[in-house]
Amino acid sequence: VDLRKEARELMKGAIDIHTHTAPSMFNRPYHDFDLASLALKAGYRAVLLKAHESTSVFRAQLTQRHLENGIDVFGGLVLNAFVGGFNPYAVDLSAKLGAKMIWMPTITSQHHYDFYGAPQYGSMKSDSAPLSPKKGLTILDEDSKIKDSVLEVLQIIAEHDICLGTGHLSNPEIMILCDKAIELGVKKIAVTHADFELIALPLEDQISLAQKGVYIEKSLLPMMPMWHSITPKETADSIRSIGASQCVLETDFGQIHHPDHIQGMELFVVTLLEVGITPEEIRKMLVENPQRLMGVYEGPE
Ligand SMILES: [Zn+2]
């Protein structure tokens, strides 16, 4: 069997919900337009642009219009210090402009600081490091209660029925956040690259979240040599324990030491097939589930 050909077939209709592109404070080898045209050629349904720096809804709209291509280019908003952290005004505006995902803080979260010591990490160094707060962002106040501003953000996400991403929060924050979001009526939640070294959410927690309807991002990046947080076999085992119906495959690509996002996804799919994940499971995680999270699923219930 030609596994690469099979992978390319399975990628038709896919949405990569975790991609990084230029322009960015980090060195990104592919521009928004590059990614979108490669995704179009590969038969993707859409891509979601994730930017640590700001909202990506404007660039997503420009990219989609520029290519006039019939695939959707989605944007979202990461709640880093650069947009004022848990800023309901930024969330509301992005939501009204079509944001598909609101992420909790990433490189300016307290947990990111605790783990990496700075907003930069690994080989992700910026030539012009932005001014960042001394203390990172956390969803909890001094009494370990969720901050009012976070509740406001969750309410806006629920109202617009868009997806909540957990960003670079700590494990306890992720668990508290997901429960509160569900309680407030958020229907779409994705745990951002759950196996990445910085998150490494224990499998039993991934399973318990999945049982509550939360989707777990299974990411290619944590298996790559520069990050090596998990092996392909461990990834496959975790998918089987959680159930493919609650997992989403994404690349998190856009680093100078990786090939492009589409080649990455092919590598990811071939690898998973080789360690025994079935084509049906791949389709669920790569096409159906991300389409549900992006609100564009049209298949059978
Ligand atoms: Zn990312």
Side-chain angles (χ1 to χ4, degrees), residues 18 20 50 52 193 252:
H18 196 146
H20 294 283
K50 179 175 179 221
H52 295 293
H193 47 41
D252 195 6

Side-chain angles (χ1 to χ4, degrees), residues 25-26 82 106-108 112-113 116-121 124 130 132-133:
M25 61 183 267
F26 296 121
F82 321 119
T106 55
I107 59 176
T108 60
H112 190 101
Y113 284 17
Y116 291 114
Q120 315 207 10
Y121 57 130
M124 306 307 289
S132 306

